[in-house]
Amino acid sequence: MSMEKKRNAAKPERDRPWLIRTYAGHSSAQASNALYRQNLAKGQTGLSVAFDLPTQTGYDSDHVLARGEVGKVGVPVSHLGDMMTLFDGIPLDQMNTSMTINAPAAWLLSLYIAVAEKQGTARASLQGTTQNDIIKEYLSRGTYIFPPAPSLKLITDVAAFTYREVPKWNPMNVCSYHLQEAGATAEQELAYALATAIAVLDAVRDSGQVPEEDFAKVVGRISFFVNAGIRFVTEICKMRAFCELWDEITRDRYGIEDAKYRRFRYGVQVNSLGLTEQQPENNVYRILIEMLAVVLSKNARARAVQLPAWNEALGLPRPWDQQWSLRLQQIMAYETDLLEYEDLFDGNPAIERKVGALKEGARAELAKIDEMGGAIAAVDCGYMKQELVRSNALRLADIESGLTKVIGVNAFTETEPSPLTSGEKSILTVDDMAEQDQIEKLKAWRSERNQAEVDATLTDLKSAASEGRNIMESSIACAHAGVTTGEWSETLREVFGEYRAPTGITSMIMTGDAENLQDLRKRVDEVSDKLGERMKMLVGKPGLDGHSNGAEQIAVKAGEAGIEVLYEGIRWTPEELVRNAIEDGAHVIGLSILSGSHVPLVREVVNGLRAQGAGHIPVVVGGIIPESDMLVLRQMGVSAVYTPKDYQLAKVISEIVDLVDRKSSDKTAVSSNGAGDAHGDAALY
């Protein structure tokens, strides 16, 4: 036997690696297509599409709520032409595509199928996933459109359609990722995700769209998208608990006998919540450790992995930053011997104890949700949202007090300047012209299509939705006719209505240092006495950014301090926030924006206040904001800017109270002198 044959014979068999992805998309379909091709050429084995906020919330790029948001956190897709450009030169019959899309998931899948048909690809050959998890959107990410019941119907339509027409497609990725990002404990992440899956499967089973003998096929196509945090032993155990609980639920609740249909199939993006703005180079180690939690245990190994970039706490990652995360996966999959071995944790008593404890906690929480009437009822009454806000407040309080150590944040903060963050192009920025270019292309698309065909397909879509029929075939017809994302969504808004989810901050809780909080309350009382009324703070989320964690925690802490908090959740226009602040008599406005659209949206709020003679109301801003933009915000009149490094919330609230005190004193002094500009200024401290 030759030496080469002997060497090959001696090599152990290796498992196939997981799908290797990066979550990507920005600016335009053309720019994103170029990025996808680059990543595939570098060895990425699947696509994960990030859509911009207007697309995620069902608006066209020229809608008033889309101002400043187009192309910022993903790719804008307004119609079939955009989708064709996005996948130009990428044969869909050879691709496994994950689309992070929820409320309009049926629409984006329809566009994807229409593109495949334009390419000559059969529906049945398509492989991939639509996230399509509306329940977690009410709890964490905020890109919902419709009320829970019709949203569940849309998920059911996609599941019933795909198991017949696109059998290799996962119609839903039950998404616990954003639950952990919103502060969920491991037990809550398990319970809330499983409760969501149960709600969907119950709805599909009861819909009459799937014959009883085919129901197992639907169960087998439900996948999950999870999070993995820094406590990687707990995360390993959480994944093993997920696998065991899902097997138990599908067997006992739904009577699924075939083990392959009971398999817990999941993809993962590791934790972004724990990425730090301070010493961001440390995030590379965090990402590696978190990835280990979902690849080390063979019996609970992820089917697909995508990793954030080390600098995502600073802004959009560049292609090189994404490449660094891609190489991390490839080194683990191809250079190590991980895939040559059986499960490394079977029979480990410490692992078994922890898995058992997590399962027990998750079962108890599932029972509580079941008593309420299931996941939909637990969303409507605000229970799950309140519990997430509570858990996140306790998590932040532990960091603030130092009980939880975060390297570079509240421990070992001494550091050398990082060469990785130096220079003007250390993060990716979206060209300001991208939005206008997209709007011009959208207008041209509308002018060139057959309007009669558009009207006819939208009429059929409305009839299908009104009559309770499956909307997928009529949606695919809309896609081919040239219907836009906004038109599709508006048609269903007319049938189903819109929804505003509970904020979860109705019950305030004690957190942080009690002595500091007591002093802060006294200070708020003093300033309120000077004002002649209780100090009021409007916490606002302008635009389409639905990541409300920061706004919620500021609202909770301000409420604990004795401030009257005016917070009505997400998705407000700048004009509405200005009107609300004036009508409710706010003494300060706090704007939270994490989508990168802070400059245009804050400018509209500040200018709106001045135009209404309320420029004396100070404005503070929080979000992922580069230093260069901080100066821009201050120049336009913002009083203070806070970023993730400002984790001591009591200190933030204290500074805001001092700001209100100074502004009220300045206003009183100007009034007593008989001078002053009615339009004032939003403060330049």
Side-chain angles (χ1 to χ4, degrees):
M1 183 182 292
S2 69
M3 181 63 69
E4 183 177 350
K5 287 183 178 179
K6 285 181 180 179
R7 289 178 62 211
N8 287 336
K11 282 186 176 180
E13 288 190 17
R14 293 174 60 87
D15 293 332
R16 290 179 60 184
W18 52 90
L19 277 171
I20 298 175
R21 291 176 170 142
T22 53
Y23 181 54
H26 68 86
S27 301
S28 68
Q30 186 174 11
S32 299
N33 172 262
L35 180 60
Y36 296 164
R37 291 193 189 200
Q38 291 169 13
N39 288 342
L40 291 169
K42 292 173 182 175
Q44 184 175 299
T45 55
L47 290 178
S48 181
V49 181
F51 296 99
D52 74 353
L53 287 174
T55 305
Q56 290 183 50
T57 49
Y59 293 108
D60 284 336
S61 299
D62 58 353
H63 192 277
V64 61
L65 275 168
R67 286 202 303 255
E69 305 279 16
V70 177
K72 283 286 171 59
V73 300
V75 56
V77 175
S78 294
H79 46 71
L80 181 60
D82 286 339
M83 203 67 154
M84 291 177 67
T85 300
L86 186 63
F87 293 104
D88 183 40
I90 300 174
L92 298 189
D93 58 343
Q94 301 173 30
M95 189 51 52
N96 191 304
T97 303
S98 172
M99 294 192 284
T100 301
I101 194 72
N102 293 284
W107 173 240
L108 272 298
L109 177 57
S110 297
L111 289 173
Y112 191 82
I113 291 171
V115 170
E117 291 174 345
K118 292 283 189 183
Q119 290 185 357
T121 296
R123 296 175 179 180
S125 67
L126 298 178
Q127 298 182 69
T129 302
T130 35
Q131 191 167 103
N132 204 17
D133 179 355
I134 307 299
I135 292 176
K136 74 96 170 56
E137 294 299 315
Y138 301 129
L139 300 176
S140 55
R141 196 159 165 266
T143 66
Y144 55 81
I145 301 174
F146 314 112
S151 294
L152 200 57
K153 170 63 167 61
L154 293 178
I155 298 172
T156 299
D157 284 358
V158 174
F161 171 83
T162 53
Y163 101 90
R164 292 190 309 268
E165 298 288 325
V166 200
K168 298 177 184 177
W169 195 267
N170 300 324
M172 183 189 191
N173 238 354
V174 181
C175 184
S176 74
Y177 174 84
H178 291 100
L179 299 177
Q180 188 178 129
E181 294 292 295
T185 64
E187 291 87 349
Q188 287 172 330
E189 188 179 343
L190 285 163
Y192 295 177
L194 293 171
T196 295
I198 288 169
V200 169
L201 288 178
D202 283 358
V204 173
R205 180 194 59 195
D206 299 341
S207 70
Q209 293 197 55
V210 178
E212 185 178 348
E213 61 271 20
D214 288 347
F215 187 65
K217 295 178 182 177
V218 175
V219 174
R221 294 316 304 181
I222 298 297
S223 60
F224 289 74
F225 186 69
V226 307
N227 205 326
I230 196 67
R231 294 174 59 81
F232 87 104
V233 175
T234 297
E235 297 293 341
I236 289 171
C237 295
K238 181 189 76 181
M239 297 320 308
R240 292 171 72 92
F242 253 135
C243 293
E244 294 176 19
L245 286 168
W246 185 240
D247 184 77
E248 179 182 301
I249 289 168
T250 53
R251 183 189 66 238
D252 298 345
R253 186 181 182 98
Y254 300 111
I256 307 301
E257 296 179 0
D258 192 333
K260 74 178 181 182
Y261 292 132
R262 301 200 307 265
R263 188 178 302 133
F264 184 83
R265 299 178 308 113
Y266 77 98
V268 64
Q269 172 160 318
V270 306
N271 191 277
S272 293
L273 184 66
L275 301 183
T276 64
E277 181 181 0
Q278 303 94 316
Q279 300 180 25
E281 60 276 6
N282 296 341
N283 294 330
V284 174
Y285 305 124
R286 294 186 176 105
I287 292 166
L288 169 60
I289 291 167
E290 290 164 352
M291 184 179 73
L292 292 176
V294 295
V295 299
L296 283 182
S297 179
K298 178 177 179 177
N299 293 340
R301 183 170 293 149
R303 298 284 290 270
V305 177
Q306 59 192 44
L307 303 179
W310 68 280
N311 57 350
E312 285 192 15
L314 307 178
L316 285 175
R318 302 157 298 184
W320 184 88
D321 304 314
Q322 291 194 328
Q323 176 184 299
W324 201 4
S325 289
L326 175 64
R327 295 295 183 244
L328 174 57
Q329 289 203 59
Q330 291 169 328
I331 290 168
M332 180 64 69
Y334 300 115
E335 290 192 26
T336 77
D337 58 354
L338 174 67
L339 298 179
E340 297 171 11
Y341 291 92
E342 295 303 306
D343 195 285
L344 305 178
F345 299 97
D346 282 354
N348 183 303
I351 295 291
E352 289 180 357
R353 282 195 302 271
K354 183 64 176 177
V355 170
L358 289 174
K359 288 167 61 177
E360 183 180 353
R363 285 195 192 101
E365 193 64 24
L366 276 168
K368 191 180 297 183
I369 293 169
D370 198 43
E371 287 175 8
M372 294 177 184
I376 295 297
V379 166
D380 267 337
C381 73
Y383 168 74
M384 287 200 284
K385 181 64 173 179
Q386 287 179 21
E387 291 304 299
L388 289 176
V389 172
R390 184 188 305 274
S391 294
N392 203 22
L394 293 172
R395 180 190 69 84
L396 289 171
D398 287 346
I399 294 173
E400 193 170 355
S401 69
L403 184 62
T404 296
K405 290 194 176 355
V406 182
I407 307 307
V409 174
N410 63 2
F412 309 109
T413 55
E414 300 78 7
T415 184
E416 297 295 327
S418 171
L420 293 175
T421 56
S422 61
E424 293 183 3
K425 296 184 178 180
S426 58
I427 58 171
L428 178 68
T429 56
V430 175
D431 189 339
D432 289 338
M433 288 303 297
E435 180 167 325
Q436 192 56 44
D437 289 345
Q438 173 68 12
I439 291 172
E440 293 302 321
K441 290 176 183 176
L442 174 60
K443 290 178 179 177
W445 176 267
R446 290 194 188 114
S447 68
E448 294 168 5
R449 64 190 181 173
N450 183 327
Q451 191 60 44
E453 189 177 355
V454 168
D455 294 341
T457 56
L458 284 173
T459 297
D460 185 58
L461 172 67
K462 188 171 185 177
S463 296
S466 301
E467 297 164 12
R469 292 186 281 118
N470 192 301
I471 55 94
M472 282 303 299
E473 289 291 3
S474 55
S475 294
I476 295 169
C478 284
H480 279 295
V483 167
T484 68
T485 296
E487 291 166 339
W488 181 90
S489 299
E490 184 57 33
T491 298
L492 296 188
R493 280 182 169 96
E494 292 173 5
V495 177
F496 300 140
E498 290 190 80
Y499 185 71
R500 185 167 289 279
T503 65
I505 67 164
T506 53
S507 57
M508 301 299 179
I509 59 174
M510 280 289 295
T511 61
D513 188 301
E515 186 176 343
N516 284 349
L517 199 58
Q518 193 173 30
D519 292 340
L520 183 53
R521 284 195 183 115
K522 290 179 181 177
R523 178 74 177 124
V524 171
D525 289 342
E526 291 172 1
V527 174
S528 296
D529 289 342
K530 288 184 182 180
L531 295 170
E533 60 180 331
R534 177 56 49 181
M535 177 181 162
K536 295 180 183 178
M537 179 178 182
L538 184 142
V539 178
K541 294 282 298 175
L544 297 175
D545 171 34
H547 289 86
S548 57
N549 295 347
E552 290 157 3
Q553 294 308 314
I554 287 292
V556 167
K557 186 64 71 174
E560 289 177 351
I563 299 171
E564 183 177 339
V565 177
L566 311 169
Y567 176 62
E568 297 296 332
I570 63 172
R571 214 176 299 170
W572 294 88
T573 66
E575 294 84 356
E576 288 171 332
L577 290 175
V578 168
R579 184 178 67 247
N580 292 347
I582 294 172
E583 289 180 354
D584 294 335
H587 301 105
V588 61
I589 298 172
L591 302 177
S592 171
I593 308 169
L594 284 85
S595 64
S597 56
H598 41 270
V599 170
L601 290 175
V602 172
R603 180 180 290 116
E604 289 192 37
V605 171
V606 171
N607 289 344
L609 288 170
R610 289 171 175 156
Q612 295 298 318
H616 59 277
I617 302 176
V619 176
V620 300
V621 179
I624 299 175
I625 301 172
E627 285 191 20
S628 57
D629 285 352
M630 291 182 189
L631 178 60
V632 174
L633 293 174
R634 287 184 176 279
Q635 287 174 336
M636 70 174 63
V638 169
S639 300
V641 179
Y642 297 100
T643 69
K645 72 177 183 299
D646 301 298
Y647 68 94
Q648 294 178 316
L649 298 187
K651 181 173 181 289
V652 171
I653 298 300
S654 178
E655 291 174 358
I656 291 173
V657 173
D658 289 343
L659 170 65
V660 171
D661 190 16
R662 291 197 304 271
K663 288 298 294 181
S664 63
S665 298
D666 291 346
K667 184 182 177 186
T668 301
V670 169
S671 300
S672 65
N673 289 332
D677 179 1
H679 292 280
D681 189 272
L684 292 168
Y685 296 104

